[in-house]
Amino acid sequence: MSTSTVKSGDSPEKQRESDKSRAENRLGQKLVLPAVILMLLVTAWPMIQALWLSLFQYRLTSPDDREMVGLNNYVTIFTDPIFWRDTGNTVMIMVVTVSIEFVIGMAFALIMHRVIFARGLIRTSILIPYGVITVVSAFAWQFAFSANNGFVNYWLPFVEDNFDWFGSYGSSMVAIMISEIWKTTPFMSLLLLAGLAQVSEDTLEAAKVDGATWWQRLYKVILPNMRSAIMVAVLFRALDAYRIFDNIFVMTRGANNTESVSFLTYRQSIELLNLGMGSALSVVLFLSVLLIAALLVKVFRVDLAQARGER
């Protein structure tokens, strides 16, 4: 649907088209209004409630002692070394997993784009891990890394057979990140595959005729033409990785200082029943996600309206 401005000298036919466009716009607004109201009730109201609770010292174990403390919860968060340790863990998981997923996902996307035989079978095989529920995937990898009956120790020649992956910080983080990469790389490759379909074959053939090597075609033709798709893929995965919770909850439950910001929020809100501090942490997490999204859009400098062909 589109709107148009009618000048005084326009013909009656253009006037009728303009009236029709305005009527379609009004109908569209009326049709989406219930969905907008529902979205506001489902998303905006809980956020406002969390923002309000974050201004209180409020524990469910002593609800009568609820007291307005203003921004004290936020001061406590930003002066607590545990919060910064967990933020460091979260950022490290996000950067490492998204970087590796992008490289592997790009390789999978190129394979799925170029393969000429058993295309359906190969694409389905690559996408299977993404269909596995995250909790199930985490339990499977916890078993795989188990020191007693896991198979990872037997597959890696440089690791002792009784090596405990969950006995120290470094190895625990490696196990968590491998589980995350295995589960979500297919999602990255699926988004990149959609971007590859937008690259003109004529442009690639022209570069090939001009003598460009495969690497030159990749860096100078394919990747620049996929910038919008790459931004969407990296943005989605970065925001998802920054909110990592399931893998840590199942595999370590935060042991060995492997907590993320989401896990810290869960521990304050659910385990300690400290709703004031938990709400403040959830607000900080929400603002962090917004900041990361804004930074990524700024870094990639992608005009989404142009990418959609709206101008």
Side-chain angles (χ1 to χ4, degrees):
M1 285 184 285
S2 62
T3 56
S4 60
T5 303
V6 181
K7 298 179 182 177
S8 56
D10 287 343
S11 63
E13 185 178 353
K14 287 187 177 180
Q15 179 68 45
R16 283 194 297 274
E17 289 179 357
S18 177
D19 292 342
K20 182 180 178 183
S21 296
R22 281 197 291 270
E24 287 180 348
N25 276 334
R26 285 196 295 271
L27 176 62
Q29 291 167 2
K30 290 177 183 176
L31 290 175
V32 301
L33 185 60
V36 171
I37 294 174
L38 183 62
M39 286 295 294
L40 287 176
L41 289 174
V42 172
T43 59
W45 174 248
M47 285 191 287
I48 294 172
Q49 184 73 8
L51 184 62
W52 176 247
L53 284 176
S54 71
L55 304 177
F56 287 85
Q57 182 180 355
Y58 180 32
R59 287 179 179 272
L60 280 182
T61 52
S62 54
D64 295 335
D65 297 335
R66 175 170 162 164
E67 179 187 0
M68 168 71 87
V69 293
L71 299 177
N72 280 359
N73 285 333
Y74 294 97
V75 173
T76 302
I77 289 172
F78 290 120
T79 56
D80 190 343
I82 293 178
F83 169 75
W84 293 110
R85 181 201 67 192
D86 293 351
T87 301
N89 288 341
T90 308
V91 172
M92 180 175 70
I93 291 173
M94 179 184 70
V95 172
V96 173
T97 58
V98 173
S99 300
I100 296 175
E101 286 171 18
F102 176 75
V103 175
I104 301 175
M106 190 69 195
F108 282 165
L110 288 169
I111 292 172
M112 288 190 288
H113 185 64
R114 290 296 178 191
V115 69
I116 56 175
F117 63 94
R119 176 174 291 187
L121 178 62
I122 293 174
R123 289 186 175 184
T124 303
S125 302
I126 291 176
L127 296 176
I128 282 176
Y130 190 63
V132 179
I133 298 171
T134 306
V135 173
V136 175
S137 163
F139 273 114
W141 280 103
Q142 185 191 40
F143 173 79
F145 282 105
S146 170
N148 299 322
N149 46 15
F151 56 82
V152 172
N153 288 350
Y154 298 101
W155 284 9
L156 300 178
F158 52 87
V159 174
E160 296 178 0
D161 290 347
N162 60 349
F163 180 73
D164 184 5
W165 286 87
F166 302 109
S168 65
Y169 170 78
S171 55
S172 298
M173 292 297 284
V174 168
I176 290 170
M177 287 190 281
I178 288 177
S179 172
E180 181 77 1
I181 291 168
W182 179 84
K183 170 71 175 62
T184 53
T185 295
F187 177 69
M188 177 75 83
S189 64
L190 199 61
L191 294 177
L192 294 176
L193 178 63
L196 271 175
Q198 298 174 355
V199 180
S200 168
E201 290 293 333
D202 294 338
T203 307
L204 287 172
E205 283 298 322
K208 195 173 182 179
V209 170
D210 288 342
T213 64
W214 187 86
W215 284 105
Q216 288 172 329
R217 294 199 298 275
L218 177 65
Y219 282 104
K220 296 184 178 180
V221 179
I222 296 176
L223 292 181
N225 282 287
M226 291 179 60
R227 198 165 61 175
S228 300
I230 292 173
M231 189 210 70
V232 172
V234 172
L235 180 64
F236 279 20
R237 274 302 303 136
L239 299 184
D240 195 33
Y242 192 81
R243 294 179 286 111
I244 183 171
F245 174 79
D246 312 56
N247 285 319
I248 295 174
F249 181 82
V250 171
M251 299 179 79
T252 65
R253 292 190 70 86
N256 300 322
N257 299 327
T258 56
E259 281 187 349
S260 65
V261 177
S262 293
F263 193 91
L264 179 63
T265 306
Y266 158 81
R267 194 155 56 82
Q268 288 291 328
S269 302
I270 306 300
E271 291 187 353
L272 302 179
L273 301 177
N274 189 348
L275 293 189
M277 186 62 70
S279 298
L281 280 166
S282 67
V283 171
V284 171
L285 182 62
F286 174 71
L287 294 178
S288 303
V289 168
L290 286 184
L291 179 63
I292 292 170
L295 285 175
L296 286 175
V297 171
K298 188 78 174 175
V299 167
F300 279 93
R301 292 179 294 179
V302 173
D303 188 340
L304 294 177
Q306 187 176 22
R308 290 194 300 267
E310 295 177 359
R311 62 186 181 190

